Every structure is written in structure tokens, then in C-alpha cells.
Amino acid sequence: NLDAEAYIKMASGLSRSSDEDSIYIIHADGTSEVLDTGFFSASVKILKGDTIVVPLYIKETNYLEVWDSVSRILASFAITIATINTLGII
């Protein structure tokens, strides 16, 4: 007679790495249903044999930002080497 949120709380709750917006229920008959946690949402009835799936949150990587950071680090390193070479420290 409990809802999905109560079962998740009984299983120690959500972790920091869980994707709260993508929780879904796999029913015993093989159908699946997304758990809508909105204010006006109807609670999903959990029956015997149902499985609550809480996926991990996966951050998408923006490769343009990665290469921008790498190029800035390499440019700073090159400027440092050029400065040391110009001062005759090496």
C-alpha cells in the first residue's frame, strides 16, 4: 500500500549521483511507467513483483570546453617557458 517514494526512502533514499527526474517502475507484467514527481502528479501504484529503477545521473561532456581548457593550459605553459628562456634562468 506504499507509493514509490516511500519504498525509495525505505531503501535508504536517493544518493547524490541519482537522476531523480528519470526514475521509472518496471511492473511485473513487463510494462514500464515513468515516476512523475510533480506537484499534481498521481502516484504510481506499486504491486508485488514491481521494480523501482533509479538511474545514475550522467553529466554530458562538452568537448569544446575541454579543448578550450587544455589550450589555455598549454598556452600558459608555453608563455612560462618563453619567459624563463628570455630571462636566461635555464
Side-chain angles (χ1 to χ4, degrees):
N1 293 334
L2 300 175
D3 62 351
E5 293 176 15
Y7 282 113
I8 291 172
K9 286 180 184 176
M10 286 173 44
S12 75
L14 298 172
S15 68
R16 284 182 267 157
S17 61
S18 60
D19 189 358
E20 297 178 35
D21 297 329
S22 300
I23 299 172
Y24 60 97
I25 313 300
I26 300 175
H27 296 288
D29 63 359
T31 61
S32 64
E33 186 175 359
V34 175
L35 179 66
D36 188 14
T37 57
F39 185 69
F40 293 108
S41 64
S43 64
V44 177
K45 184 157 176 117
I46 306 297
L47 302 172
K48 189 180 263 188
D50 291 351
T51 303
I52 302 171
V53 179
V54 181
L56 291 173
Y57 175 75
I58 299 173
K59 181 180 177 186
E60 295 180 17
T61 302
N62 184 348
Y63 292 106
L64 183 61
E65 291 178 4
V66 171
W67 284 111
D68 181 49
S69 298
V70 169
S71 65
R72 288 175 193 249
I73 292 169
L74 292 176
S76 295
F77 184 68
I79 291 171
T80 303
I81 295 297
T83 304
I84 290 173
N85 191 23
T86 302
L87 294 175
I89 296 175
I90 296 179

